[in-house]
């Protein structure tokens, strides 16, 4: 698989993963771009020990975690202004924005896990990316979903 194909195939998924971390469109674009710079540089060294998608998501997750460590983040309960301006009046879009807000309030590992789950990645691959057992990932996904359901219930959704 050449870089251009990889980029076209994984850009949106990596961007959404980064959005779950940053809760800021511009920051998520920067993190996704940084991820693909690393992918491009490391592609000749890729050994096919895992799927290319698993490898890319691991790079993206590590890039996001390093960025969080480098800088102080927005208060997790606040949405950035540009997202607030983009919220439309439809309930579905409000729910999606609220979901991103709730995801941004989770612990870093939980954010990775639920973001990958939302991308329909299988639990074995998620386990490889985050470095946990498949059973542990399954339990965490269940608990994360319960947390998000409770937040939606408190919000009246």
């Amino acid at each position: 698989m050449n870089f251009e194909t990889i980029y076209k195939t994984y850009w949106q998924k990596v961007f959404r993963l980064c959005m779950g971390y940053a809760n800021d469109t511009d920051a998520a674009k920067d993190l996704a771009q940084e991820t693909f710079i690393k992918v491009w540089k490391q592609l000749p060294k890729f050994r096919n020990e895992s799927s290319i998608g698993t490898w890319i998501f691991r790079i993206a997750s590590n890039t996001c975690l390093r960025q969080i460590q480098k800088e102080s983040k927005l208060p997790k309960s606040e949405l950035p202004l540009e997202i607030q301006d983009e919220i439309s009046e439809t309930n579905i879009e409000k729910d999606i924005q609220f979901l991103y807000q709730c995801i941004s309030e989770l612990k870093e590992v939980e954010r990775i896990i639920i973001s990958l789950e939302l991308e329909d990645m299988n639990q074995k691959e998620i386990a490889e990316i985050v470095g946990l057992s498949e059973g542990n990932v399954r339990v965490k996904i269940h608990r994360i979903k319960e947390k998000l359901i409770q937040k939606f219930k408190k919000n009246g959704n």
Side-chain angles (χ1 to χ4, degrees):
M1 195 178 258
N2 67 23
F3 179 75
E4 186 174 334
T5 304
I6 291 168
Y7 185 83
K8 287 178 181 176
T9 303
Y10 290 98
W11 169 259
Q12 285 296 323
K13 293 177 180 184
V14 168
F15 171 75
R16 287 190 297 264
L17 175 70
C18 295
M19 188 67 181
Y21 275 96
N23 197 24
D24 177 89
T25 304
D26 292 333
K29 286 179 184 175
D30 290 345
L31 288 167
Q33 195 64 36
E34 189 176 333
T35 296
F36 281 101
I37 290 169
K38 290 175 184 175
V39 167
W40 180 71
K41 287 180 178 178
Q42 297 298 318
L43 192 56
K45 297 178 185 176
F46 178 63
R47 298 179 302 223
N48 287 314
E49 291 175 358
S50 64
S51 75
I52 190 86
T54 300
W55 181 67
I56 291 168
F57 281 118
R58 182 175 285 274
I59 292 171
S61 297
N62 288 337
T63 300
C64 292
L65 287 172
R66 273 192 225 91
Q67 186 63 28
I68 288 169
Q69 291 170 349
K70 284 182 191 176
E71 63 186 39
S72 60
K73 249 183 101 182
L74 291 171
K76 292 182 181 179
S77 60
E78 293 181 23
L79 280 173
L81 293 176
E82 56 271 6
I83 290 179
Q84 288 177 344
D85 291 341
E86 293 174 9
I87 297 174
S88 78
E89 294 303 312
T90 67
N91 286 337
I92 293 173
E93 288 185 19
K94 284 182 182 180
D95 287 347
I96 291 170
Q97 290 298 327
F98 184 68
L99 177 62
Y100 269 116
Q101 180 183 349
C102 292
I103 290 172
S104 75
E105 294 169 0
L106 296 170
K107 295 176 186 171
E108 285 82 7
V109 173
E110 292 176 337
R111 280 189 254 167
I112 295 171
I113 291 170
I114 198 65
S115 295
L116 295 173
E117 173 75 6
L118 289 171
E119 290 300 327
D120 290 327
M121 183 167 284
N122 70 49
Q123 293 177 357
K124 182 178 180 184
E125 287 181 305
I126 295 171
E128 288 177 30
I129 291 169
V130 297
L132 298 172
S133 71
E134 196 174 338
N136 196 344
V137 167
R138 193 174 305 110
V139 169
K140 286 190 177 288
I141 289 170
H142 177 74
R143 289 179 180 162
I144 294 165
K145 287 180 178 179
E146 286 299 316
K147 283 183 188 179
L148 295 174
I149 288 168
Q150 292 307 314
K151 288 180 183 252
F152 268 80
K153 284 180 181 176
K154 285 181 185 176
N155 192 49
N157 294 333

